[in-house]
Amino acid sequence: MSYIERTMKSEKVYEGKVLNLRIDTVELPDKKYSKREIVEHPGAVCIVPITSDNKIYLVNQYRKSIDKEILELPAGKIEIGEEPKECAIRELKEETGLTANKYEYMTEFYTSPGFCNEKIHLFFARELEEGIATPDIDEYIDVKTYSLDELLHMIQIGEISDGKTIIGIQMINATFASKNE
Amino acid sequence: MSYIERTMKSEKVYEGKVLNLRIDTVELPDKKYSKREIVEHPGAVCIVPITSDNKIYLVNQYRKSIDKEILELPAGKIEIGEEPKECAIRELKEETGLTANKYEYMTEFYTSPGFCNEKIHLFFARELEEGIATPDIDEYIDVKTYSLDELLHMIQIGEISDGKTIIGIQMINATFASKNE
C-alpha cells in the first residue's frame, strides 16, 4: 500500500547557511490534513580514513548543538555543485590534512528522516598520506587515531556517541569480517 | 585543549510541534564571532524488537522529508516528562502492536550533532507478544519481519538507508557475536 502525502501548502520559515526550515501542510491517505516540519539540508559526507595497519583517524570537536566536544569521523556538508567524492576529498584534507590514494564508496543513509532530509554518503579512504590540515575559520579540531578494535569497544561502552561514526566503524568492521570469511 | 563556544546572542526562529530552530551567535576560541543554526529536538527512542528465533520487526512508512517510503526500526519522539524506556514501550505498542516482557538499554547517540541536538536512545525488546497497533492519526505504517542475516545483507547492499536502523541492527549483531565468543 502506498501512503504518499500530497503537499497542499508549503511555507519556508527560514533559509540559512547550513539548513532551511519549511512547514508543509499535507493530505493524509484518509484525506485529512496534517503539518510536517521539515529541515532541508544539502547532504554531507563522512569518511573512514584507515591506515594499512588498521588505525582510523577521528576528529574531536566542540559542537554547539549539544554544548560539548564529541569524537567523530571526518565529515562535512556538501557544497553547491559538489560531488560527494569531491566533498570527501576536500573535507578529509581540511579537517585532518590527510590525502588518500584510494577512495571506496561504502553506503549512504538518512540521519533523521522523520523531520530532516540530510543524507550522508560514507566513504573508506585508504593509502593515506599525512599533510597540513586547513580547517574552516570557525572550526577547531583535534585529530586522533585509534585501532579498529579500540573503536568497536568504545562503541559498545557508549564512548562513541555520534551516529555516523558508529555506522562508519561498524560498516568497515563488517566489510573486513566478510572478506575474512 | 577546550574549544567551548560562548553564546553571545541566541535568537529563536521557530517553535513547533516536533522541533524548534534557533540561531546562536558564538564567540570562537580566537575571539571572532560566528553563527550556529541549531535544530532543537526533544530526543527519541529506537527499538530493536527481536523474537526468540532472531526475527526483527521493522516498519515501512512514508516520510515527507525525503518524499518516499523507508524501512525503519520502530521509533518515536520522547514526549514531555516521559522517560526513554516508557517512550520505547509506548512507541513499540503504537507502531507495531507489540509488547515486550524484556527491555534492554543498548546505547544512545546523536543523529546530527553538527546542527541538531537530537539524541536517540536505543533499546532491545525481547519476549515479544503480538497485539493491535494504534498509530497516531497521521501515521500510516506497514509492519514487516526479517531475519537478522537478511537485515545485515540489506545494510551491505544499501537497502536499509535509515541511520538509526543501521545502528540498531549492527549493535544487536555485535552483541550476539560477543556473546558467542
Side-chain angles (χ1 to χ4, degrees):
Chain A
M1 185 167 171
S2 176
Y3 296 134
I4 285 174
E5 296 174 357
R6 220 173 118 205
T7 307
M8 308 313 283
K9 189 181 150 192
S10 187
E11 185 195 355
K12 189 70 61 112
V13 174
Y14 176 80
E15 292 193 52
K17 198 176 63 163
V18 173
L19 55 86
N20 303 326
L21 176 63
R22 69 171 210 265
I23 316 297
D24 284 359
T25 304
V26 299
E27 189 186 61
L28 303 173
D30 67 359
K31 304 295 175 196
K32 286 185 182 145
Y33 285 13
S34 187
K35 294 212 184 232
R36 302 294 184 202
E37 298 161 357
I38 294 166
V39 175
E40 297 175 342
H41 187 281
V45 300
C46 178
I47 307 111
V48 189
I50 186 160
T51 66
S52 53
D53 58 345
N54 291 352
K55 292 268 183 198
I56 295 173
Y57 286 80
L58 271 79
V59 295
N60 193 57
Q61 67 189 120
Y62 173 86
R63 294 295 202 174
K64 188 68 200 171
S65 72
I66 55 174
D67 193 25
K68 62 182 178 192
E69 287 179 32
I70 181 170
L71 202 54
E72 301 174 46
L73 285 168
K77 187 168 61 74
I78 296 173
E79 301 298 336
I80 296 167
E82 199 174 39
E83 289 297 320
K85 186 178 169 185
E86 199 183 336
C87 178
I89 293 167
R90 178 180 57 73
E91 286 286 353
L92 183 61
K93 174 77 183 156
E94 282 178 10
E95 293 194 350
T96 67
L98 293 168
T99 48
N101 287 312
K102 206 169 157 193
Y103 274 88
E104 288 166 58
Y105 166 80
M106 200 174 353
T107 194
E108 55 193 52
F109 57 89
Y110 296 101
T111 52
S112 265
F115 63 91
C116 180
N117 68 349
E118 184 190 25
K119 184 195 267 186
I120 292 187
H121 304 260
L122 197 60
F123 292 88
F124 290 173
R126 294 181 205 250
E127 300 175 16
L128 305 173
E129 285 171 31
E130 293 197 345
I132 309 291
T134 54
D136 288 345
I137 59 162
D138 64 352
E139 273 186 331
Y140 289 81
I141 291 171
D142 285 328
V143 179
K144 301 181 178 191
T145 63
Y146 300 86
S147 73
L148 180 55
D149 283 346
E150 269 178 296
L151 291 172
L152 290 169
H153 178 67
M154 287 162 79
I155 290 172
Q156 282 300 316
I157 62 173
E159 264 186 36
I160 305 266
S161 62
D162 173 53
K164 65 182 172 302
T165 303
I166 296 173
I167 292 174
I169 303 301
Q170 299 274 31
M171 290 291 286
I172 203 157
N173 184 50
T175 304
F176 283 3
S178 71
K179 282 185 183 161
N180 290 336
E181 268 170 17
Chain B
M1 185 168 171
S2 176
Y3 296 134
I4 284 175
E5 297 175 356
R6 222 173 119 206
T7 306
M8 309 312 284
K9 188 183 150 193
S10 188
E11 184 195 355
K12 189 70 61 114
V13 174
Y14 175 81
E15 293 194 52
K17 198 177 64 164
V18 173
L19 55 87
N20 303 328
L21 176 64
R22 70 170 210 265
I23 316 297
D24 284 359
T25 304
V26 299
E27 189 186 61
L28 302 173
D30 68 359
K31 304 295 175 197
K32 287 187 182 144
Y33 284 13
S34 187
K35 295 214 182 233
R36 304 292 184 204
E37 298 161 358
I38 294 166
V39 175
E40 297 175 344
H41 188 281
V45 301
C46 178
I47 307 112
V48 188
I50 186 161
T51 66
S52 53
D53 57 347
N54 291 352
K55 292 269 181 198
I56 295 173
Y57 287 80
L58 272 79
V59 296
N60 194 58
Q61 67 189 120
Y62 173 87
R63 293 295 202 175
K64 188 68 200 172
S65 72
I66 54 173
D67 191 24
K68 63 183 178 191
E69 287 180 31
I70 182 170
L71 202 54
E72 301 174 44
L73 286 166
K77 187 169 61 75
I78 296 173
E79 300 298 335
I80 296 166
E82 199 175 38
E83 289 297 322
K85 186 178 168 184
E86 200 182 334
C87 178
I89 293 167
R90 178 180 56 74
E91 286 287 353
L92 183 62
K93 174 75 183 159
E94 282 178 9
E95 293 194 351
T96 67
L98 293 167
T99 47
N101 287 312
K102 206 170 155 192
Y103 275 88
E104 288 165 61
Y105 166 80
M106 201 175 350
T107 194
E108 56 195 50
F109 57 90
Y110 296 101
T111 52
S112 266
F115 62 90
C116 179
N117 69 349
E118 184 191 24
K119 184 195 266 184
I120 293 187
H121 304 261
L122 197 60
F123 291 89
F124 291 173
R126 293 181 205 250
E127 301 176 16
L128 305 173
E129 285 173 30
E130 292 197 344
I132 310 291
T134 54
D136 287 346
I137 58 162
D138 63 352
E139 273 185 330
Y140 289 80
I141 292 171
D142 285 328
V143 178
K144 300 181 179 193
T145 62
Y146 299 87
S147 73
L148 179 54
D149 284 344
E150 270 179 296
L151 291 171
L152 291 168
H153 178 68
M154 287 163 78
I155 290 173
Q156 282 300 316
I157 63 173
E159 263 185 38
I160 305 266
S161 62
D162 173 53
K164 65 182 172 301
T165 303
I166 296 174
I167 293 174
I169 303 300
Q170 298 274 32
M171 290 291 286
I172 202 156
N173 185 50
T175 304
F176 284 4
S178 71
K179 280 184 183 162
N180 289 337
E181 269 168 17

